[in-house]
Amino acid sequence: MHSEPLLQIAGLNLRYGSSHVLHDISLTLGARPLTILGRNGMGKTSLCNAIIGLAPHFSGSIRLAGTELTGLTPEHRARLGIGYVPQGRRIFRSLSVEEHLTIVAQKGGDWTIERVYETFPRLKERRRNLGDRLSGGEQQMLAISRALLLNPRLLVLDEPTEGLAPAIVSDVVALVREVSQQGMAVLMVEQNLHAALAAVEDAAILVGGEIVEHMSAQALATDPAMQKRHLALELA
Amino acid sequence: MTLFFIVTLNGLTLAALYFLAATGFSLIFGLMRTVNMAHGALLLLGGYVGFSVVEATGSWGLGVIAGGLAAALAGALVQFGILGWMQGDELRQTLASIAISIIMADLMLWHWGGITYQVTLPELLSGGQRLPLLGVGYASIRLALMAFALVIGVALWFLIQKTRFGAVIRAGVDDQAMLRALGFPIKRIFISVFALGGMLAGMAGVVAASALSIAPGTDLQFLLSSLVVVIVGGMGSVGGAALGALLVGLAEQYGLAYAPTYGAVFTFAIMVLVLAVRPQGLLGRAEK
């Protein structure tokens, strides 16, 4: 076992031109799955991109199990054990469901194509369909499966419930809980407060590129005042 | 009527050559967004190497393979040594590839001289064939060229649509950043595809040197035709290159035969029409 946390972010700053997108982000992620909540434009996707390696110009440090990620390419980071489920799912439109899975599948991991098909029978039924012929829910299942087949140590999900029907949202929540209970570290960026708090144990709130709160999911779930202050939820 | 058949066959011959030349160009652009202006130089290099190998060994097949391999190696070196270092900066890559094209053309002029070469044909392909239904005779090498283009087209379709490597290429065409985030070694994939495109160009060079002839300037002629073909057919797809090559090849030959004064206009008229009506090309997909 590592004594240090799996993901360790320290003093992360990200600028696009003159706009300062992320301010001095510091956070650690270990066994307890974490959600990062925030409204649109607060820097959630930028934070994901910095971890994945798609936003190269940042200062500060991001370490995965002690390995500094700064300067490494996205492909190198993926091989170090980061699985990425991007916002908007980014399914390859000219690949079939099966091709999505076969190009990433590896021998000897926990997640195999058979296990994906057992978990999502719907994907098996549609395995000959092209990516752009799938429904939003099917695409999300495929995007998550694609990341899981890498058998990553850390799963990064960027708004995985966006635009999905409530029944599918609960499926995503259940799956995230399952993989995190089986020992995969989970970082889930979300706008959907209820889904996020149901899926993970810790929550951080991002406002204007800064982490303003960091607490347990349960504490946030029972604190409507804080939800209203930072996330501007309409409370029924 | 005989004239019509002959002109059609000439058009198909040219289309087969244009397809072989353009499909690698299109593949490279589709995956990497690199407009490889050295593609014609790779084709000419393949043609020259093929010629020299046929002269030395007497084997036409060996010449085609050697021409393909030489251009594949050159293509891989261009991507590995030069263009790969400016990935994502398309204008710089285009300008650098123009420089590579000029340097390669001068080096080839130095080595092979300014004369026109025609590859000696094997016995089997050197005569003509009387075509049973059309009632016309036609050069065997040109018929073989059409068959060769057909075989290459089918093989390429199989590689891209049915193999894992092909699926990775298609994924890269769709969303390169996502493919990298899944851990795929994009640099190696780019070099392989550049080698594949170079191989197709090199083989096209050898068959061009067999069915027609090659000389300094052949590189630019095929670069230009490849550009027109992919603009008409659509960048990045084998089918688009085939359709574009067919239209351009036939238009050129019909133009030459029936309206020689305006022959050159037809090709560009097609291009202008396509750009006006369907700017992504006939089989191309619109950018998101």
Side-chain angles (χ1 to χ4, degrees):
Chain A
M1 286 299 288
H2 279 281
S3 53
E4 58 186 316
L6 181 67
L7 180 71
Q8 201 163 16
I9 300 177
L12 176 66
N13 279 283
L14 179 69
R15 291 182 178 81
Y16 285 121
S18 60
S19 67
H20 199 167
V21 185
L22 294 175
H23 290 270
D24 254 337
I25 303 276
S26 292
L27 61 86
T28 58
L29 177 76
R32 284 168 69 84
L34 171 72
T35 184
I36 300 199
L37 294 159
R39 291 185 301 245
N40 267 332
M42 288 301 160
K44 302 192 302 295
T45 293
S46 300
L47 179 59
C48 285
N49 286 344
I51 297 170
I52 301 304
L54 297 176
H57 306 292
F58 58 79
S59 63
S61 154
I62 303 178
R63 298 166 81 83
L64 184 78
T67 306
E68 178 61 52
L69 298 184
T70 311
L72 299 185
T73 58
E75 50 269 39
H76 195 160
R77 296 179 197 208
R79 287 198 297 272
L80 287 175
I82 301 182
Y84 176 45
V85 181
Q87 186 176 21
R89 308 181 265 275
R90 292 174 76 164
I91 292 302
F92 302 119
R93 58 183 170 172
S94 50
L95 265 61
S96 69
V97 167
E98 188 139 279
E99 283 172 333
H100 273 89
L101 304 176
T102 49
I103 63 170
V104 288
Q106 304 151 332
K107 288 197 179 84
D110 279 355
W111 282 90
T112 58
I113 295 181
E114 293 73 43
R115 183 164 169 204
V116 165
Y117 282 155
E118 273 167 38
T119 314
F120 304 115
R122 187 77 188 135
L123 289 184
K124 188 171 188 179
E125 286 167 30
R126 308 216 59 180
R127 66 185 186 278
R128 305 244 172 268
N129 286 67
L130 290 185
D132 61 358
R133 295 277 180 273
L134 303 177
S135 73
E138 289 162 351
Q139 286 195 349
Q140 191 63 63
M141 297 306 161
L142 184 56
I144 295 175
S145 305
R146 181 174 67 178
L148 288 175
L149 280 174
L150 297 172
N151 290 296
R153 288 196 276 183
L154 169 66
L155 185 64
V156 177
L157 305 105
D158 192 353
E159 301 210 19
T161 69
E162 188 188 26
L164 299 184
I168 315 282
V169 171
S170 358
D171 286 352
V172 171
V173 167
L175 182 71
V176 169
R177 290 186 67 86
E178 185 193 327
V179 297
S180 106
Q181 272 156 17
Q182 286 165 359
M184 197 179 288
V186 171
L187 179 70
M188 180 177 177
V189 162
E190 258 304 339
Q191 281 203 66
N192 181 337
L193 177 78
H194 299 289
L197 295 184
V200 303
E201 291 171 31
D202 285 339
I205 299 179
L206 201 59
V207 175
E210 278 181 85
I211 290 185
V212 293
E213 299 289 346
H214 196 153
M215 53 174 45
S216 78
Q218 192 162 16
L220 181 59
T222 53
D223 189 345
M226 177 168 304
Q227 295 174 13
K228 190 169 185 176
R229 187 155 66 244
H230 295 308
L231 305 167
L233 280 183
E234 308 226 3
L235 299 173
Chain B
M1 214 48 194
T2 308
L3 175 69
F4 176 77
F5 287 137
I6 293 289
V7 171
T8 305
L9 285 169
N10 283 345
L12 291 175
T13 305
L14 205 57
L17 263 181
Y18 284 172
F19 168 72
L20 289 174
T23 188
F25 181 79
S26 173
L27 209 60
I28 289 169
F29 178 84
L31 178 64
M32 312 177 205
R33 305 279 127 184
T34 302
V35 181
N36 176 27
M37 301 294 275
H39 198 71
L42 292 175
L43 181 141
L44 188 56
L45 175 70
Y48 281 139
V49 170
F51 173 83
S52 298
V53 169
V54 173
E55 288 301 295
T57 65
S59 162
W60 188 76
L62 213 57
V64 174
I65 293 169
L69 287 181
L73 185 68
L77 280 175
V78 162
Q79 172 66 18
F80 174 75
I82 301 168
L83 299 183
W85 297 94
M86 30 188 116
Q87 207 66 57
D89 190 346
E90 286 94 356
L91 180 61
R92 184 176 297 219
Q93 285 186 320
T94 306
L95 295 175
S97 70
I98 292 175
I100 295 165
S101 166
I102 294 169
I103 292 167
M104 281 180 71
D106 271 3
L107 288 173
M108 288 188 283
L109 185 62
W110 173 51
H111 187 79
W112 279 284
I115 52 172
T116 300
Y117 288 101
Q118 191 170 21
V119 170
T120 317
L121 295 176
E123 194 107 339
L124 185 69
L125 298 177
S126 57
Q129 290 285 325
R130 184 143 290 278
L131 298 177
L133 286 175
L134 307 179
V136 294
Y138 204 64
S140 303
I141 177 66
R142 297 192 166 197
L143 296 170
L145 164 56
M146 289 179 231
F148 185 67
L150 211 60
V151 168
I152 292 289
V154 171
L156 211 53
W157 173 85
F158 184 83
L159 175 74
I160 295 197
Q161 294 299 330
K162 298 290 167 194
T163 67
R164 183 180 180 278
F165 178 65
V168 172
I169 292 179
R170 273 179 288 137
V173 172
D174 287 347
D175 190 340
Q176 198 191 109
M178 190 61 223
L179 190 66
R180 299 183 67 187
L182 291 171
F184 286 86
I186 201 82
K187 281 193 174 151
R188 246 175 28 218
I189 296 168
F190 280 2
I191 292 169
S192 321
V193 170
F194 231 100
L196 177 64
M199 189 183 78
L200 291 165
M203 293 196 302
V206 186
V207 285
S210 312
L212 310 166
S213 64
I214 54 167
T218 303
D219 48 349
L220 298 178
Q221 179 200 335
F222 276 100
L223 175 65
L224 184 65
S225 72
S226 298
L227 279 165
V228 176
V229 163
V230 295
I231 288 170
V232 170
M235 286 279 200
S237 84
V238 176
L243 182 63
L246 215 52
L247 284 175
V248 173
L250 286 172
E252 237 172 74
Q253 290 299 317
Y254 286 138
L256 268 179
Y258 296 110
T261 320
Y262 306 103
V265 176
F266 287 98
T267 312
F268 292 98
I270 292 175
M271 194 169 95
V272 168
L273 203 67
V274 168
L275 281 175
V277 178
R278 216 180 135 75
Q280 71 269 36
L282 293 173
L283 296 185
R285 289 187 304 195
E287 295 287 319
K288 274 192 289 186

